[in-house]
Each structure stands twice: as structure tokens, then as C-alpha cells.
Amino acid sequence: MNQVSTKYMNPYLAGFLLGAVLLVSIFVTGRGLGASGAIKDTVIAVVGKVAPDHAAESPYYGPYMNAERENPMKSWLVFELAGVLIGAFLSGLVSDRLSFKSEGGPFIANKTRWAFAAAGGALFGIGAQFARGCTSGAALSGMAVLSSAGFITMLAIFGTGYAVAYLFRRLWI
Amino acid sequence: MGPFVPDPISPELNFVIALIIGIAFGFVLEQAGFSSSRKLAGVFYGYDFTVLRVFFSAAVTAMGGIMLLNFFGLLDTEAIYINPLWLWPAIVGGAIMGVGFILGGYCPGTSICAAAIGKIDALFFVGGLFIGVLFFAEMFPAWERFHESSALGPVKVYDSLGLPAGWFAFALIVVAVSAFAVTSRIEKRVNRQAPANNFRFRKHLTVAVVTIFAGAVFISLPDRKSRTIAMASSLEHLEACETSYMSSDELAFRIVDKDPSMQIVDVSDSLAYNQFSLPGSVNLQIHELFSKEWNTLFARRHVRKILVAENEQDAVIAYHVLDEIGYRNLSVLEGGLPHFRSLILNREGAVLRQDSVNSVVREFRQEAGTAIHAMIEAQRDRPKEPDKKPRKITGGC
């Protein structure tokens, strides 16, 4: 399980290209990249379909359930994240990295890894709602436009990450 | 001038663009190695700092690009989405995400990339994301107040720190390059097979030095707005360039005539504007003239834009700012609004009216004064300004 492929792109070049994609996005559409927002839109759409009465009453979903509002799935970020899925698949295809596997620290069983991955995802889902965005939408795009929100969110994510890293070192080293 | 949404790019086309940008985003993330949780988590344990390298390079590239596009007048930075700040929710949310990062080994965007190439742990992470958002939404009443607390709006980081934007940009570049250097040393110590072992020292040192020198350009790069305003206000510029004036009489005639090929732009401060304004005028501050929003107003060549202000000098500066941006068919009201008032509108103090030898002119001024007074009165009851809210692009998350 402890294998890191070395044939990745030079990180600085990748960073430059990522910055260029972000720049094009801001230049053309006026907005940066994102990810968690599309998850939010999907959750709202699903709850709206499965439990419309519940959604209409809720202070969170309620505003989105207005008949005049567009379907929450018809959002910029949903289309963008669909693109991410396609783009990453294409990249995996050309670099021969398509395979079903899990990664983690050398001393961790797959099932434990999966449980922690799900827990981490849940925390990210919650945190991104408070911070109005995740690492891409709030931190990266926010930093590019020099917003205080971007820098504060970035520092909070990585600062806390370093603060608790030692506690969970068995997961990774 | 960008951005091109909502005009000329329609919302439907924008979705296509979103998909294309997403494909590029996903492709680059995967190529960078962000589809590997082990690689991502490495940044916290020192065995792989790829995340830091990619993340910081991307942020600096995009930031620099935005500043340069703004400098050359190609991007209206007033119109782009600036993430608003809710201070405490941002800190708490960020902290929760930080723990999530250590436990999960991914962030939302990278988990989608990893899931796309078949990583099973990433699928669990994505599942967790949905559960987390659902949990947040269901429990929303419990933290609704906190979620909305300490709202500070779209503040800029350099304003928060009290630095000029250029200095902040330079400082960020220096921090990024230093962080690259320091973390590469750490990485080599921690991990013998670290990516940094493949870096050639000379080459990287050259790139670092060049980057820092290039970054220093931002210090001397005034933003286009302050540069243009400063230039337009300079005496040399005013002496070298001609200003076209319009007399109070002509303006009064055009107002009474309801001339459709004229637009009065009042650059007085809004307080003065609220006390007195000419019929049909719009109130804009000089720094607002750059906004893409007013492009359609100023770009109409057949419409004469008449710049007026309580202080004539302000109107002259606005004239040269607009001229510099490239708008044509402009005029400045000679003598400013006080002169106009005393000449046309002042009923009692007919001093200025008297020294006009021509009785026709005198009569015209009297009639025009009455008519314009009536127009101002009529306008008072109606909302004065057109919708002045800039069309902001929504974004975030």
C-alpha cells in the first residue's frame, strides 16, 4: 500500500498550469474554481426530490425550493465538477494510472483506511459549509483574488492539519 | 475587457465553459499527483511536499496574472467574485476541514480526481462529503446564527494587513519561494525517495532568483486606476492635452431641449449630488468610471458625455480619465455646477444675467432657469439614480 508513483508532472509546472486554468476561469467567467459547492447543490437537489415537504420547511433548503429558482443541479460548479471527473479520468488514462486500489500508510488495513476516509470526507463537507468553500473554492481561488477569506481559510485548514497531524500519524507513517 | 459573463457569454454557454475548465482542472490535478491520498497527506508529515509546491505556485501564478491583466486594463477586477469573509465561520470551518484532511487524506476536488481513476478510499471520502453536507444542512438551525456571524464582506487581504497590493504580492512570492526551499530540505531528510531528490540545485536556484526578481515588479506596478487618476490629475497632462468645454448656456439649452444625444455625468460626491443634481444626470465617483458596467454608457459615440461637478477641476480629471480609457465625445461643464446655478438657476441674484448685453440671451436664461427648476422638482419625487448596483458575479464554494 505504500507506493507513490514517481512519473507525476513536475510540481512547479503543474502549479503553474493549475494557476493558468484558474486565471482563465477568472478572466473569462469572473469566478474561480470550486468543488464542495457542487456537492452542496447535489445534496439540495436530492433532498428536494426525495423529501420535498421536508426541504420546503427547512431554513437551509427552503430558499432553493422556490418554484422560480432554477434546478440546483443547473449550477456552474456542478458542470465544472463533472469536467473534473472527465479530466482526471483522461489524465489517468494517458498516464496509465487507472486501477481500483486504496492508498494509505504502511501499517493500516484497508477497512480502517476507508472508515477514516469517510470520516474525513464528512468533516470536509461540514467545514466547507461554514467556510463557504473548500481548498479549491475558498483557499486557492480566494488567495488568487487576494481575498482575506481565502488566506484565513487556507491558514485554518493547513494550520489545523499540522496541529493534529501527530495524533493521527499512524494513519500515514 | 474580461470577465465575459454575463455579457457577451450567456449562462448556457457558461455551463459549457464550466465543463471545459473543469476538464482542464481535473487533468492538471491528476497529473500533479493529487489523486494520491498518500502524496497529499505527505505535506503534513514531511515526506512529500508536492501539495505545497503545486498549491502555492498556482496561487501565485493566478494572482500575478490577475494583477497584470488589471494593469493592462484587460480585466475588470471590480466585476470578479471576491470571496466574502465571515471571520469565525471561516476559521472554524477551516479547522474542521484541516482535521478532515488528516483523517481523509483528500480534499473535495482531489477526492473527485482520485475517484475518477478508481481509488477506492476516494469513493469513501466522496461518500463522506455527501453525508457531511447533509448533516450540516439537517442541523442548520442549530448553527444558523454562527454561520452568519462576523460577516465582514469581500475584504482584501492587503487592506486587512494595511499593505499596498503590490508589496503584499511580492511578499507572498518571497514566502512561497522560501517555503519551497525549506520544505525541499526537510523532505530530503525525511524521505530518501522524496521527489525533491530529483531536483537539480542549480536550476532551481536560478528559477527561484528569477521568480523573486520578477515578483519585485509588482511593487512598482501601481494599479491601473490610481495610475490613470494620478496621470489625469497631473498639471503636465492637463497642459498638454486639450479639454473640450461646454458653456452653461449650451448645457441649459440641451437640458430644456431634452437632447437625447447627451448624458450628464456628475462626479461630485454623493452628498452634494443628493442636494443638487441636474435633470437626467447620473452620479459616478471618479474611481467608478473604470468599471465595465459603465462601458455601454460611455462607449456610445453619438452621445455626448457632459462631465459636471461642484468643483470644475473634478470634472476635468474625470474627463481625462475617460479620455485615457479611450472614450470619446466628452465635454466638461465650464465653471462647474456653481457657475451653472448662478447663471441659469439663480432667480434673485441676476448679476450675471445682467451683464449679458444681449437681451435674447437674458430672456433665454430666465426661461431655461424656470424650466430646469421645474424639471428638478419633478425629478425629486422619482428615484434619482438608475440601478447602480454593479452586476456581481456569484461564485464561491
Side-chain angles (χ1 to χ4, degrees):
Chain A
M1 274 182 60
N2 183 12
Q3 270 175 5
V4 178
S5 175
T6 49
K7 51 189 176 167
Y8 292 117
M9 191 185 275
N10 175 301
Y12 300 111
L13 177 63
F16 175 77
L17 292 177
L18 180 58
V21 173
L22 177 56
L23 182 62
V24 168
S25 180
I26 291 171
F27 179 54
V28 175
T29 73
R31 55 180 300 158
L33 306 166
S36 60
I39 309 282
K40 181 184 93 177
D41 291 329
T42 313
V43 168
I44 292 167
V46 170
V47 173
K49 274 269 178 289
V50 174
D53 297 339
H54 168 68
E57 283 167 21
S58 152
Y60 187 80
Y61 310 112
Y64 297 91
M65 295 302 135
N66 196 325
E68 287 150 37
R69 290 280 296 242
E70 292 263 14
N71 184 335
M73 290 305 276
K74 218 179 152 190
S75 93
W76 197 90
L77 284 170
V78 170
F79 281 84
E80 183 235 29
L81 204 67
V84 172
L85 205 59
I86 298 167
F89 178 79
L90 291 176
S91 165
L93 192 69
V94 296
S95 296
D96 197 21
R97 278 194 285 267
L98 298 179
S99 65
F100 287 106
K101 64 170 183 179
S102 283
E103 273 184 3
F107 308 111
I108 186 165
N110 265 341
K111 278 190 182 150
T112 325
R113 167 74 191 114
W114 294 344
F116 276 103
L123 287 176
F124 239 112
I126 297 166
Q129 299 313 303
F130 279 115
R132 274 87 173 171
C134 59
T135 343
S136 21
L140 180 61
S141 304
M143 280 169 71
V145 296
L146 294 176
S147 70
S148 301
F151 283 87
I152 289 170
T153 311
M154 183 272 293
L155 288 174
I157 294 175
F158 287 98
T160 313
Y162 280 107
V164 301
Y166 186 77
L167 292 174
F168 299 104
R169 64 191 179 284
R170 278 293 144 240
L171 293 174
W172 301 105
I173 51 176
Chain B
M1 182 159 59
F4 305 104
V5 172
D7 190 33
I9 293 176
S10 66
E12 285 73 25
L13 182 57
N14 198 12
F15 287 141
V16 179
I17 291 170
L19 188 74
I20 296 167
I21 287 172
I23 291 173
F25 182 29
F27 192 89
V28 175
L29 281 181
E30 208 288 322
Q31 283 294 314
F34 280 19
S35 55
S36 159
S37 57
R38 221 185 121 63
K39 214 167 165 59
L40 291 167
V43 73
F44 295 109
Y45 296 97
Y47 62 77
D48 192 331
F49 280 100
T50 301
V51 169
L52 180 114
R53 293 181 187 118
V54 176
F55 189 86
F56 257 111
S57 310
V60 165
T61 304
M63 172 200 72
I66 292 168
M67 291 178 88
L68 287 174
L69 287 174
N70 179 47
F71 178 76
F72 290 113
L74 297 170
L75 176 67
D76 179 8
T77 44
E78 302 280 311
I80 64 175
Y81 178 76
I82 309 291
N83 308 48
L85 175 62
W86 283 263
L87 182 62
W88 286 107
I91 293 171
V92 171
I96 296 171
M97 287 191 272
V99 179
F101 214 150
I102 293 289
L103 295 187
Y106 290 110
C107 64
T110 53
S111 73
I112 296 291
C113 285
I117 63 159
K119 293 281 167 67
I120 299 160
D121 51 341
L123 287 172
F124 280 92
F125 187 94
V126 174
L129 275 177
F130 282 101
I131 294 167
V133 175
L134 187 68
F135 176 74
F136 178 90
E138 292 301 324
M139 298 293 289
F140 189 62
W143 41 54
E144 187 174 3
R145 272 190 60 198
F146 175 70
H147 183 252
E148 302 303 328
S149 67
S150 53
L152 298 173
V155 275
K156 298 291 191 90
V157 63
Y158 50 86
D159 289 333
S160 304
L161 297 172
L163 282 171
W167 275 100
F168 180 82
F170 176 63
L172 188 70
I173 290 169
V174 172
V175 168
V177 171
S178 319
F180 296 153
V182 172
T183 54
S184 289
R185 305 206 73 160
I186 297 174
E187 190 181 282
K188 281 189 211 171
R189 279 203 196 164
V190 174
N191 181 1
R192 278 166 178 236
Q193 281 120 42
N197 285 306
N198 302 323
F199 292 166
R200 270 176 303 172
F201 183 73
R202 272 273 174 89
K203 201 169 114 191
H204 278 73
L205 185 69
T206 317
V207 174
V209 170
V210 169
T211 308
I212 288 181
F213 271 98
V217 168
F218 289 111
I219 299 173
S220 54
L221 198 72
D223 77 322
R224 175 165 161 268
K225 252 197 233 171
S226 35
R227 188 182 48 133
T228 312
I229 294 175
M231 203 195 68
S233 333
S234 74
L235 276 175
E236 299 95 71
H237 185 81
L238 296 180
E239 273 167 20
C241 303
E242 252 180 64
T243 313
S244 140
Y245 287 96
M246 181 180 278
S247 69
S248 294
D249 283 327
E250 190 185 344
L251 182 63
F253 177 78
R254 283 172 182 251
I255 294 173
V256 175
D257 199 34
K258 298 204 168 73
D259 182 357
S261 62
M262 164 185 91
Q263 174 65 55
I264 304 172
V265 179
D266 193 331
V267 292
S268 317
D269 59 74
S270 52
L271 204 73
Y273 181 80
N274 286 335
Q275 272 179 4
F276 173 81
S277 63
L278 290 171
S281 62
V282 290
N283 184 217
L284 285 175
Q285 306 304 310
I286 288 176
H287 68 263
E288 289 178 303
L289 300 173
F290 296 87
S291 170
K292 192 186 169 193
E293 223 203 321
W294 303 108
N295 191 10
T296 43
L297 173 69
F298 292 122
R300 279 181 290 174
R301 279 169 170 271
H302 62 282
V303 173
R304 178 159 287 253
K305 279 73 68 176
I306 301 155
L307 297 149
V308 306
E310 285 301 322
N311 181 351
E312 188 196 345
Q313 196 61 26
D314 292 341
V316 173
I317 292 171
Y319 174 95
H320 287 287
V321 166
L322 289 172
D323 186 58
E324 194 57 36
I325 298 174
Y327 297 122
R328 297 291 171 259
N329 205 356
L330 311 160
S331 280
V332 170
L333 171 64
E334 205 173 0
L337 289 169
H339 184 68
F340 183 90
R341 279 195 296 266
S342 63
L343 205 61
I344 311 287
L345 296 175
N346 194 341
R347 284 166 207 263
E348 300 93 42
V351 190
L352 279 157
R353 242 176 265 160
Q354 291 306 332
D355 52 70
S356 167
V357 279
N358 194 333
S359 66
V360 179
V361 172
R362 205 180 310 157
E363 215 167 280
F364 161 74
R365 286 178 181 169
Q366 222 135 29
E367 278 172 23
T370 320
I372 294 173
H373 260 300
M375 288 164 96
I376 292 174
E377 283 307 316
Q379 190 175 249
R380 233 177 257 284
D381 307 327
R382 277 181 284 134
K384 223 178 262 175
E385 292 170 57
D387 187 16
K388 245 187 77 174
K389 276 266 171 277
R391 284 184 302 180
K392 272 279 180 189
I393 289 150
T394 50
C397 300

PDB file of all heavy atoms in Angstrom, chain B residues 12 41 56 59 61 63 70 80 197 213-214 218 250 254 265 315 394:
ATOM      1  N   GLU B  12     -26.022  29.781 -20.560  1.00  0.00           N
ATOM      2  CA  GLU B  12     -25.952  28.426 -21.121  1.00  0.00           C
ATOM      3  C   GLU B  12     -24.549  28.118 -21.623  1.00  0.00           C
ATOM      4  O   GLU B  12     -23.985  27.071 -21.331  1.00  0.00           O
ATOM      5  CB  GLU B  12     -26.967  28.255 -22.266  1.00  0.00           C
ATOM      6  CG  GLU B  12     -28.410  28.105 -21.825  1.00  0.00           C
ATOM      7  CD  GLU B  12     -29.010  29.408 -21.324  1.00  0.00           C
ATOM      8  OE1 GLU B  12     -28.527  30.486 -21.742  1.00  0.00           O
ATOM      9  OE2 GLU B  12     -29.957  29.366 -20.505  1.00  0.00           O
ATOM     10  N   ALA B  41      -1.265  13.597   1.849  1.00  0.00           N
ATOM     11  CA  ALA B  41      -1.018  13.628   3.287  1.00  0.00           C
ATOM     12  C   ALA B  41       0.448  13.893   3.589  1.00  0.00           C
ATOM     13  O   ALA B  41       0.791  14.352   4.682  1.00  0.00           O
ATOM     14  CB  ALA B  41      -1.463  12.310   3.916  1.00  0.00           C
ATOM     15  N   PHE B  56       0.918  26.551  -3.927  1.00  0.00           N
ATOM     16  CA  PHE B  56       1.484  27.902  -3.881  1.00  0.00           C
ATOM     17  C   PHE B  56       1.824  28.420  -5.269  1.00  0.00           C
ATOM     18  O   PHE B  56       1.589  29.585  -5.580  1.00  0.00           O
ATOM     19  CB  PHE B  56       2.730  27.940  -2.992  1.00  0.00           C
ATOM     20  CG  PHE B  56       2.468  28.545  -1.648  1.00  0.00           C
ATOM     21  CD1 PHE B  56       2.491  27.775  -0.504  1.00  0.00           C
ATOM     22  CD2 PHE B  56       2.199  29.897  -1.531  1.00  0.00           C
ATOM     23  CE1 PHE B  56       2.235  28.332   0.735  1.00  0.00           C
ATOM     24  CE2 PHE B  56       1.952  30.462  -0.294  1.00  0.00           C
ATOM     25  CZ  PHE B  56       1.969  29.679   0.844  1.00  0.00           C
ATOM     26  N   ALA B  59      -1.431  29.505  -6.828  1.00  0.00           N
ATOM     27  CA  ALA B  59      -1.988  30.731  -6.242  1.00  0.00           C
ATOM     28  C   ALA B  59      -1.202  31.947  -6.729  1.00  0.00           C
ATOM     29  O   ALA B  59      -1.784  32.964  -7.118  1.00  0.00           O
ATOM     30  CB  ALA B  59      -1.961  30.646  -4.717  1.00  0.00           C
ATOM     31  N   THR B  61       0.707  32.208  -9.453  1.00  0.00           N
ATOM     32  CA  THR B  61       0.510  32.398 -10.898  1.00  0.00           C
ATOM     33  C   THR B  61      -0.798  33.133 -11.170  1.00  0.00           C
ATOM     34  O   THR B  61      -0.829  34.126 -11.914  1.00  0.00           O
ATOM     35  CB  THR B  61       0.470  31.036 -11.618  1.00  0.00           C
ATOM     36  OG1 THR B  61       1.666  30.334 -11.321  1.00  0.00           O
ATOM     37  CG2 THR B  61       0.331  31.206 -13.114  1.00  0.00           C
ATOM     38  N   MET B  63      -2.684  34.878  -9.098  1.00  0.00           N
ATOM     39  CA  MET B  63      -2.687  36.214  -8.507  1.00  0.00           C
ATOM     40  C   MET B  63      -1.917  37.192  -9.395  1.00  0.00           C
ATOM     41  O   MET B  63      -2.398  38.282  -9.712  1.00  0.00           O
ATOM     42  CB  MET B  63      -2.057  36.163  -7.121  1.00  0.00           C
ATOM     43  CG  MET B  63      -1.843  37.515  -6.497  1.00  0.00           C
ATOM     44  SD  MET B  63      -0.623  37.470  -5.176  1.00  0.00           S
ATOM     45  CE  MET B  63       0.904  37.257  -6.104  1.00  0.00           C
ATOM     46  N   ASN B  70      -5.257  43.292 -14.888  1.00  0.00           N
ATOM     47  CA  ASN B  70      -5.877  44.514 -14.384  1.00  0.00           C
ATOM     48  C   ASN B  70      -5.043  45.734 -14.779  1.00  0.00           C
ATOM     49  O   ASN B  70      -5.571  46.752 -15.217  1.00  0.00           O
ATOM     50  CB  ASN B  70      -6.008  44.422 -12.861  1.00  0.00           C
ATOM     51  CG  ASN B  70      -6.629  45.665 -12.270  1.00  0.00           C
ATOM     52  OD1 ASN B  70      -7.630  46.155 -12.767  1.00  0.00           O
ATOM     53  ND2 ASN B  70      -6.026  46.189 -11.224  1.00  0.00           N
ATOM     54  N   ILE B  80     -15.163  40.772 -10.779  1.00  0.00           N
ATOM     55  CA  ILE B  80     -14.928  39.356 -10.474  1.00  0.00           C
ATOM     56  C   ILE B  80     -15.365  39.033  -9.052  1.00  0.00           C
ATOM     57  O   ILE B  80     -15.539  39.934  -8.229  1.00  0.00           O
ATOM     58  CB  ILE B  80     -13.455  38.935 -10.695  1.00  0.00           C
ATOM     59  CG1 ILE B  80     -12.521  39.670  -9.735  1.00  0.00           C
ATOM     60  CG2 ILE B  80     -13.052  39.135 -12.137  1.00  0.00           C
ATOM     61  CD1 ILE B  80     -11.085  39.204  -9.827  1.00  0.00           C
ATOM     62  N   ASN B 197      14.604  14.907  -4.219  1.00  0.00           N
ATOM     63  CA  ASN B 197      15.928  14.372  -4.528  1.00  0.00           C
ATOM     64  C   ASN B 197      16.234  14.440  -6.010  1.00  0.00           C
ATOM     65  O   ASN B 197      17.394  14.392  -6.409  1.00  0.00           O
ATOM     66  CB  ASN B 197      16.040  12.923  -4.041  1.00  0.00           C
ATOM     67  CG  ASN B 197      16.184  12.875  -2.535  1.00  0.00           C
ATOM     68  OD1 ASN B 197      17.064  13.511  -1.975  1.00  0.00           O
ATOM     69  ND2 ASN B 197      15.298  12.158  -1.876  1.00  0.00           N
ATOM     70  N   PHE B 213      12.907  38.200  -8.467  1.00  0.00           N
ATOM     71  CA  PHE B 213      13.105  39.469  -9.177  1.00  0.00           C
ATOM     72  C   PHE B 213      11.863  39.855  -9.973  1.00  0.00           C
ATOM     73  O   PHE B 213      11.464  41.015  -9.990  1.00  0.00           O
ATOM     74  CB  PHE B 213      14.341  39.385 -10.089  1.00  0.00           C
ATOM     75  CG  PHE B 213      15.599  39.784  -9.372  1.00  0.00           C
ATOM     76  CD1 PHE B 213      16.451  38.821  -8.847  1.00  0.00           C
ATOM     77  CD2 PHE B 213      15.907  41.118  -9.186  1.00  0.00           C
ATOM     78  CE1 PHE B 213      17.589  39.183  -8.158  1.00  0.00           C
ATOM     79  CE2 PHE B 213      17.051  41.492  -8.496  1.00  0.00           C
ATOM     80  CZ  PHE B 213      17.907  40.514  -7.979  1.00  0.00           C
ATOM     81  N   ALA B 214      11.269  38.877 -10.624  1.00  0.00           N
ATOM     82  CA  ALA B 214      10.050  39.160 -11.378  1.00  0.00           C
ATOM     83  C   ALA B 214       8.952  39.613 -10.420  1.00  0.00           C
ATOM     84  O   ALA B 214       8.176  40.515 -10.726  1.00  0.00           O
ATOM     85  CB  ALA B 214       9.601  37.925 -12.154  1.00  0.00           C
ATOM     86  N   PHE B 218       5.906  43.717  -9.110  1.00  0.00           N
ATOM     87  CA  PHE B 218       4.586  44.055  -8.572  1.00  0.00           C
ATOM     88  C   PHE B 218       4.627  45.255  -7.627  1.00  0.00           C
ATOM     89  O   PHE B 218       3.648  45.970  -7.493  1.00  0.00           O
ATOM     90  CB  PHE B 218       3.971  42.849  -7.854  1.00  0.00           C
ATOM     91  CG  PHE B 218       3.557  41.769  -8.802  1.00  0.00           C
ATOM     92  CD1 PHE B 218       4.234  40.564  -8.841  1.00  0.00           C
ATOM     93  CD2 PHE B 218       2.502  41.969  -9.674  1.00  0.00           C
ATOM     94  CE1 PHE B 218       3.859  39.572  -9.728  1.00  0.00           C
ATOM     95  CE2 PHE B 218       2.129  40.989 -10.579  1.00  0.00           C
ATOM     96  CZ  PHE B 218       2.812  39.785 -10.603  1.00  0.00           C
ATOM     97  N   GLU B 250     -25.183  76.477 -23.264  1.00  0.00           N
ATOM     98  CA  GLU B 250     -25.434  75.366 -24.177  1.00  0.00           C
ATOM     99  C   GLU B 250     -26.035  74.188 -23.426  1.00  0.00           C
ATOM    100  O   GLU B 250     -26.975  73.543 -23.896  1.00  0.00           O
ATOM    101  CB  GLU B 250     -24.147  74.948 -24.891  1.00  0.00           C
ATOM    102  CG  GLU B 250     -24.452  73.963 -26.016  1.00  0.00           C
ATOM    103  CD  GLU B 250     -23.211  73.413 -26.694  1.00  0.00           C
ATOM    104  OE1 GLU B 250     -22.110  73.977 -26.534  1.00  0.00           O
ATOM    105  OE2 GLU B 250     -23.349  72.381 -27.372  1.00  0.00           O
ATOM    106  N   ARG B 254     -29.634  72.386 -24.019  1.00  0.00           N
ATOM    107  CA  ARG B 254     -29.790  70.958 -24.300  1.00  0.00           C
ATOM    108  C   ARG B 254     -30.700  70.283 -23.269  1.00  0.00           C
ATOM    109  O   ARG B 254     -31.438  69.361 -23.605  1.00  0.00           O
ATOM    110  CB  ARG B 254     -28.430  70.265 -24.297  1.00  0.00           C
ATOM    111  CG  ARG B 254     -27.641  70.513 -25.575  1.00  0.00           C
ATOM    112  CD  ARG B 254     -26.240  69.963 -25.419  1.00  0.00           C
ATOM    113  NE  ARG B 254     -25.426  70.213 -26.594  1.00  0.00           N
ATOM    114  CZ  ARG B 254     -25.041  69.252 -27.438  1.00  0.00           C
ATOM    115  NH1 ARG B 254     -25.408  68.012 -27.235  1.00  0.00           N
ATOM    116  NH2 ARG B 254     -24.282  69.546 -28.470  1.00  0.00           N
ATOM    117  N   VAL B 265     -22.957  63.403 -16.677  1.00  0.00           N
ATOM    118  CA  VAL B 265     -22.331  62.557 -15.665  1.00  0.00           C
ATOM    119  C   VAL B 265     -21.799  63.461 -14.563  1.00  0.00           C
ATOM    120  O   VAL B 265     -20.935  64.300 -14.799  1.00  0.00           O
ATOM    121  CB  VAL B 265     -21.184  61.722 -16.275  1.00  0.00           C
ATOM    122  CG1 VAL B 265     -20.529  60.862 -15.207  1.00  0.00           C
ATOM    123  CG2 VAL B 265     -21.695  60.871 -17.419  1.00  0.00           C
ATOM    124  N   ALA B 315     -14.364  67.532 -12.592  1.00  0.00           N
ATOM    125  CA  ALA B 315     -14.929  67.144 -13.884  1.00  0.00           C
ATOM    126  C   ALA B 315     -13.828  67.051 -14.935  1.00  0.00           C
ATOM    127  O   ALA B 315     -13.848  66.166 -15.802  1.00  0.00           O
ATOM    128  CB  ALA B 315     -15.993  68.151 -14.308  1.00  0.00           C
ATOM    129  N   THR B 394     -21.738  35.754  -9.140  1.00  0.00           N
ATOM    130  CA  THR B 394     -21.802  34.923  -7.947  1.00  0.00           C
ATOM    131  C   THR B 394     -20.856  33.742  -8.110  1.00  0.00           C
ATOM    132  O   THR B 394     -20.684  33.214  -9.190  1.00  0.00           O
ATOM    133  CB  THR B 394     -23.223  34.392  -7.726  1.00  0.00           C
ATOM    134  OG1 THR B 394     -23.671  33.818  -8.942  1.00  0.00           O
ATOM    135  CG2 THR B 394     -24.161  35.486  -7.289  1.00  0.00           C
TER     136      THR B 394
END
